[in-house]
Amino acid sequence: MQIVPIPAFNDNYIWLMHDGRHALAVDPGDARPVQDFIAQHDLALVAILITHHHGDHVGGLPAFAGQCPVYGPAAEAIAGVTHPVREGDTVAIPELGVEFGVLDLPGHTLGHIAYVGPDLVFCGDTLFSAGCGRLFEGSPAQMRASLAKLAALPPHTRVYCTHEYTLANLAFAEAAEPDNPARDAWLAECRQRRERKQPTLPTTIERERAINPFLRVEHASVLEGLSGFVGHVPKDPTHAFAALREWKNNF
């Protein structure tokens, strides 16, 4: 089984899982690169997974209408979704022999979901390497709880998020937590990958727990860095998370 990043727009990845015959696509915001890859490799598209309603994740759906099942968040009205799902549901793709559990992850949008498969998660715009999504609809408490769900996945879980934001996120992580050797090692590796025009993704839950300030907001080293932004050390973890996200918004 292969999982291939198909670049789209400026910094999106449309993830395509395939076995050489059948394929599923995750968040096809642009249909053309997916269609081109499928045609080039003689694949049959058997499913589409949607994490949330933003246009750069759903814009390609009209081109695939009627071709295959389209799974998406039950809490969001997305044209083209044929199988609305929510936390506790299972998505089975028999052609590929894989099953996904669904997690509700409100924060970036209120209905955002993720798909948890064998040793992997397609998490849309909730968790990024060294970062997290903006809070367009949800609250800091919701996003923090959603990130905690992802952080609780097994450490070796591969994280397939949908934007190449890693270097920018790591620059912020340096400011938020200046002394983090694991983060510095990941930054060096990511710079080399980008110089070779390679993706920095997927990352892993284990790595993100070690380097991502949004998963480390209760650590003293992050709170110390945050105090330079807010002028004091926040006592409440949710307030600390909200301040960290606001800092990143304007970084």
Side-chain angles (χ1 to χ4, degrees):
M1 190 79 69
Q2 295 186 54
I3 302 178
V4 179
I6 299 177
F9 309 116
N10 292 326
D11 50 35
N12 283 63
Y13 291 129
I14 300 167
W15 296 104
L16 197 86
M17 175 184 279
H18 73 91
D19 62 1
R21 296 179 301 160
H22 305 102
L24 73 81
V26 182
D27 286 344
D30 187 359
R32 177 54 58 191
V34 177
Q35 293 170 324
D36 290 346
F37 187 95
I38 286 173
Q40 185 178 7
H41 294 83
D42 195 24
L43 301 172
L45 187 65
V46 296
I48 292 173
L49 308 181
I50 298 295
T51 62
H52 65 292
H53 66 79
H54 286 162
D56 61 327
H57 295 252
V58 303
L61 285 183
F64 300 112
Q67 293 187 27
C68 63
V70 179
Y71 299 87
E76 297 185 354
I78 300 174
V81 168
T82 60
H83 293 65
V85 292
R86 55 175 51 87
E87 186 161 325
D89 290 339
T90 299
V91 174
I93 314 295
E95 298 90 343
L96 291 170
V98 295
E99 251 184 25
F100 299 94
V102 179
L103 291 179
D104 289 337
L105 301 177
H108 183 65
T109 68
L110 286 175
H112 199 299
I113 61 174
Y115 301 87
V116 182
D119 300 326
L120 65 89
V121 59
F122 294 116
C123 62
D125 287 356
T126 297
L127 175 64
F128 298 126
S129 187
C132 74
R134 287 178 179 265
L135 278 64
F136 288 117
E137 298 175 12
S139 68
Q142 286 176 314
M143 181 61 108
R144 185 165 170 263
S146 294
L147 290 173
K149 286 184 185 180
L150 294 173
L153 294 173
H156 58 271
T157 303
R158 301 187 308 280
V159 178
Y160 292 90
C161 47
T162 47
H163 288 280
E164 185 56 74
Y165 290 164
T166 308
L167 289 182
N169 287 340
L170 285 166
F172 174 73
E174 281 189 297
E177 189 181 17
D179 185 17
N180 186 323
R183 188 266 329 289
D184 294 341
W186 181 230
L187 173 58
E189 181 176 339
C190 288
R191 282 173 173 162
Q192 291 177 355
R193 290 190 188 189
R194 296 309 292 157
E195 287 172 4
R196 298 192 295 264
K197 302 191 184 305
Q198 295 174 342
T200 60
L201 304 168
T203 181
T204 66
I205 292 296
E206 181 176 32
R207 176 182 293 121
E208 294 311 307
R209 287 177 63 89
I211 64 108
N212 191 323
F214 292 98
L215 300 186
R216 297 170 57 79
V217 73
E218 294 183 59
H219 287 242
S221 53
V222 175
L223 290 171
E224 182 179 350
L226 182 58
S227 68
F229 173 69
V230 297
H232 63 279
V233 177
K235 302 295 185 185
D236 178 76
T238 300
H239 291 163
F241 179 87
L244 193 68
R245 184 60 257 184
E246 182 62 24
W247 185 11
K248 177 64 169 67
N249 290 346
N250 299 287
F251 186 73

